[in-house]
Amino acid sequence: LQDLVLYCIDSNGVWRYLPAEHALQKIASGDFRETALVQRKLGANASILIVFASDSKKFPDEEMARKYSGIHVGEAVQNLYLYCASNDLATVVCGMWDRELLKSVPLPDGESIILIQAVGVPEDKAKK
C-alpha cells in the first residue's frame, strides 16, 4: 500500500522524502528540532529527526489504516535502529511531539504522524 511518508527535520528546515526521485523536498525553513518534541532537550541534541507519517488515503478503510500504518512504521523504525547501531549513531523513538509543529508544518490531508525518531552522534563520541 506504500502508505509511509517520511519527513526529516534538521537545522535547516523540514524536508519531505520523495521516494520515486530518491530526493528531499524542502517544505519549511528554520530549525524545528527543539520545538518539535515535548522533550525539548532530546530534539535540541539530535542531529536529525525522522518523522514517520502515514497516508490514510492509501487504505480502503479506517480499520486497515489503524492496523497496518502501525505495522509499517514499526518495521521502518526497526530498520533505522539497525542502521544506527551498525554506524555508531544514537537513536530513540519519540511518541510525543508538540502539536505546534503541525501549525508550522501542516501535513497534507489524510497524513498523520505516527512516530518521530531522533538520530544523532552519541555524546561520548561527539567530544572526540
Side-chain angles (χ1 to χ4, degrees):
L1 297 171
Q2 299 181 349
D3 65 299
L4 283 185
V5 182
L6 298 180
Y7 293 89
C8 303
I9 302 174
D10 66 10
S11 61
N12 296 311
V14 180
W15 310 81
R16 180 184 174 102
Y17 177 63
L18 305 172
E21 294 89 1
H22 190 55
L24 294 173
Q25 174 188 33
K26 193 170 198 173
I27 60 169
S29 294
D31 190 349
F32 296 93
R33 291 173 300 167
E34 185 173 359
T35 58
L37 300 176
V38 171
Q39 296 171 310
R40 302 277 190 230
K41 186 176 177 185
L42 181 61
N45 289 335
S47 300
I48 192 167
L49 300 176
I50 306 296
V51 179
F52 294 93
S54 177
D55 183 353
S56 63
K57 294 182 304 217
K58 300 278 182 126
F59 296 99
D61 59 57
E62 280 187 45
E63 183 181 349
M64 280 189 76
R66 274 193 312 275
K67 179 180 178 181
Y68 289 108
S69 64
I71 292 169
H72 296 160
V73 169
E75 293 166 341
V77 164
Q78 182 180 19
N79 285 334
L80 186 50
Y81 263 108
L82 291 170
Y83 176 84
C84 289
S86 66
N87 287 280
D88 295 324
L89 295 171
T91 188
V92 64
V93 168
C94 309
M96 295 176 63
W97 51 89
D98 195 312
R99 300 289 180 204
E100 293 298 311
L101 175 64
L102 297 178
K103 290 180 183 173
S104 302
V105 186
L107 299 178
D109 194 36
E111 286 185 18
S112 58
I113 297 174
I114 307 296
L115 290 173
I116 298 177
Q117 193 165 356
V119 178
V121 177
E123 194 173 287
D124 61 330
K125 294 187 188 318
K127 293 180 182 177
K128 293 182 180 180

